[in-house]
Amino acid sequence: FVQSIQLEIMSVSGMAGSIRAATESETFDLAGQTPATISTTVQNAFGKPLDHLDPGQMIRITFVTGAGKLGRQKYDEGAAKAV
């Protein structure tokens, strides 16, 4: 079972792979990502059920899509819409 999870995670790389590998609630920062990249990441991360979680187990995946006045330039204005 563990080996099948590892193979699945290896087939999805980058942030999508990290999201799929999550076993507890995590936050992912979308700074520097374009809306197209964000959409692809979300599709790759959630296109299939997260079978490695126990039935009924819930985790929270949080995406940071913006920042305050000093960090605003790091985020595409369409980031929140892309999620």
Side-chain angles (χ1 to χ4, degrees), residues 1-11 20 48 51-52:
F1 178 72
V2 172
Q3 193 173 30
S4 66
I5 292 171
Q6 290 172 339
L7 289 174
E8 181 180 332
I9 291 167
M10 288 172 56
S11 69
R20 291 204 58 80
K48 295 180 182 177
D51 293 332
H52 67 282

Short mmCIF file of all heavy atoms in Angstrom, two decimals, residues 1-11 20 48 51-52:
data_model
loop_
_atom_site.label_atom_id
_atom_site.label_comp_id
_atom_site.label_asym_id
_atom_site.label_seq_id
_atom_site.Cartn_x
_atom_site.Cartn_y
_atom_site.Cartn_z
N PHE A 1 0.83 -1.20 0.00
CA PHE A 1 0.00 0.00 0.00
C PHE A 1 0.87 1.25 0.00
O PHE A 1 0.64 2.16 -0.75
CB PHE A 1 -0.96 -0.02 1.19
CG PHE A 1 -1.83 1.19 1.29
CD1 PHE A 1 -2.86 1.39 0.38
CD2 PHE A 1 -1.61 2.15 2.26
CE1 PHE A 1 -3.66 2.51 0.46
CE2 PHE A 1 -2.40 3.26 2.34
CZ PHE A 1 -3.44 3.44 1.44
N VAL A 2 1.88 1.28 0.87
CA VAL A 2 2.77 2.44 0.95
C VAL A 2 3.50 2.65 -0.36
O VAL A 2 3.65 3.77 -0.82
CB VAL A 2 3.77 2.28 2.12
CG1 VAL A 2 4.82 3.38 2.09
CG2 VAL A 2 3.05 2.27 3.46
N GLN A 3 3.91 1.57 -0.99
CA GLN A 3 4.61 1.67 -2.26
C GLN A 3 3.71 2.26 -3.34
O GLN A 3 4.17 3.06 -4.15
CB GLN A 3 5.13 0.30 -2.68
CG GLN A 3 6.12 0.36 -3.81
CD GLN A 3 6.72 -1.01 -4.08
OE1 GLN A 3 6.08 -2.04 -3.86
NE2 GLN A 3 7.95 -1.01 -4.54
N SER A 4 2.43 1.91 -3.34
CA SER A 4 1.52 2.47 -4.35
C SER A 4 1.33 3.96 -4.13
O SER A 4 1.22 4.72 -5.09
CB SER A 4 0.18 1.75 -4.34
OG SER A 4 -0.52 1.98 -3.14
N ILE A 5 1.31 4.41 -2.88
CA ILE A 5 1.22 5.84 -2.59
C ILE A 5 2.46 6.55 -3.10
O ILE A 5 2.38 7.60 -3.72
CB ILE A 5 1.03 6.10 -1.08
CG1 ILE A 5 -0.33 5.60 -0.63
CG2 ILE A 5 1.17 7.59 -0.76
CD1 ILE A 5 -0.51 5.61 0.86
N GLN A 6 3.64 5.96 -2.85
CA GLN A 6 4.88 6.57 -3.30
C GLN A 6 4.92 6.67 -4.82
O GLN A 6 5.36 7.67 -5.36
CB GLN A 6 6.08 5.79 -2.77
CG GLN A 6 6.26 5.92 -1.28
CD GLN A 6 7.32 4.99 -0.73
OE1 GLN A 6 7.66 3.98 -1.34
NE2 GLN A 6 7.83 5.31 0.44
N LEU A 7 4.47 5.64 -5.51
CA LEU A 7 4.46 5.68 -6.98
C LEU A 7 3.50 6.75 -7.48
O LEU A 7 3.79 7.47 -8.43
CB LEU A 7 4.06 4.32 -7.54
CG LEU A 7 5.09 3.21 -7.39
CD1 LEU A 7 4.51 1.88 -7.85
CD2 LEU A 7 6.35 3.54 -8.15
N GLU A 8 2.34 6.88 -6.83
CA GLU A 8 1.37 7.90 -7.23
C GLU A 8 1.94 9.29 -7.02
O GLU A 8 1.82 10.16 -7.86
CB GLU A 8 0.08 7.74 -6.42
CG GLU A 8 -0.98 8.75 -6.79
CD GLU A 8 -2.24 8.57 -5.97
OE1 GLU A 8 -2.52 7.46 -5.53
OE2 GLU A 8 -2.91 9.58 -5.76
N ILE A 9 2.61 9.52 -5.89
CA ILE A 9 3.18 10.82 -5.59
C ILE A 9 4.31 11.15 -6.57
O ILE A 9 4.44 12.28 -7.02
CB ILE A 9 3.70 10.86 -4.13
CG1 ILE A 9 2.50 10.82 -3.17
CG2 ILE A 9 4.53 12.11 -3.87
CD1 ILE A 9 2.85 10.54 -1.74
N MET A 10 5.08 10.13 -6.95
CA MET A 10 6.17 10.36 -7.90
C MET A 10 5.64 10.77 -9.27
O MET A 10 6.28 11.51 -9.99
CB MET A 10 7.03 9.11 -8.01
CG MET A 10 7.89 8.87 -6.79
SD MET A 10 8.74 7.28 -6.79
CE MET A 10 9.64 7.37 -8.32
N SER A 11 4.44 10.29 -9.63
CA SER A 11 3.88 10.63 -10.94
C SER A 11 3.36 12.07 -10.97
O SER A 11 3.15 12.62 -12.04
CB SER A 11 2.78 9.65 -11.33
OG SER A 11 1.66 9.81 -10.51
N ARG A 20 -0.79 15.97 -2.52
CA ARG A 20 -1.28 14.58 -2.52
C ARG A 20 -0.65 13.76 -1.39
O ARG A 20 -1.25 12.83 -0.89
CB ARG A 20 -1.01 13.91 -3.86
CG ARG A 20 -1.88 14.50 -4.97
CD ARG A 20 -2.10 13.57 -6.11
NE ARG A 20 -2.70 12.30 -5.76
CZ ARG A 20 -4.00 12.09 -5.55
NH1 ARG A 20 -4.84 13.08 -5.62
NH2 ARG A 20 -4.45 10.88 -5.25
N LYS A 48 -7.85 12.93 -8.42
CA LYS A 48 -8.18 11.59 -7.93
C LYS A 48 -8.36 11.68 -6.42
O LYS A 48 -7.77 12.54 -5.77
CB LYS A 48 -7.04 10.61 -8.23
CG LYS A 48 -6.79 10.37 -9.69
CD LYS A 48 -5.66 9.38 -9.85
CE LYS A 48 -5.33 9.15 -11.32
NZ LYS A 48 -4.18 8.25 -11.47
N ASP A 51 -6.55 8.51 -1.56
CA ASP A 51 -6.79 7.17 -1.02
C ASP A 51 -5.91 6.80 0.17
O ASP A 51 -6.20 5.85 0.88
CB ASP A 51 -6.61 6.11 -2.11
CG ASP A 51 -7.67 6.21 -3.19
OD1 ASP A 51 -8.79 6.68 -2.88
OD2 ASP A 51 -7.38 5.84 -4.33
N HIS A 52 -4.83 7.53 0.40
CA HIS A 52 -3.94 7.18 1.50
C HIS A 52 -4.48 7.61 2.86
O HIS A 52 -3.96 7.23 3.89
CB HIS A 52 -2.53 7.77 1.27
CG HIS A 52 -2.48 9.26 1.32
ND1 HIS A 52 -2.90 10.04 0.27
CD2 HIS A 52 -2.06 10.10 2.30
CE1 HIS A 52 -2.73 11.32 0.60
NE2 HIS A 52 -2.24 11.37 1.82
#
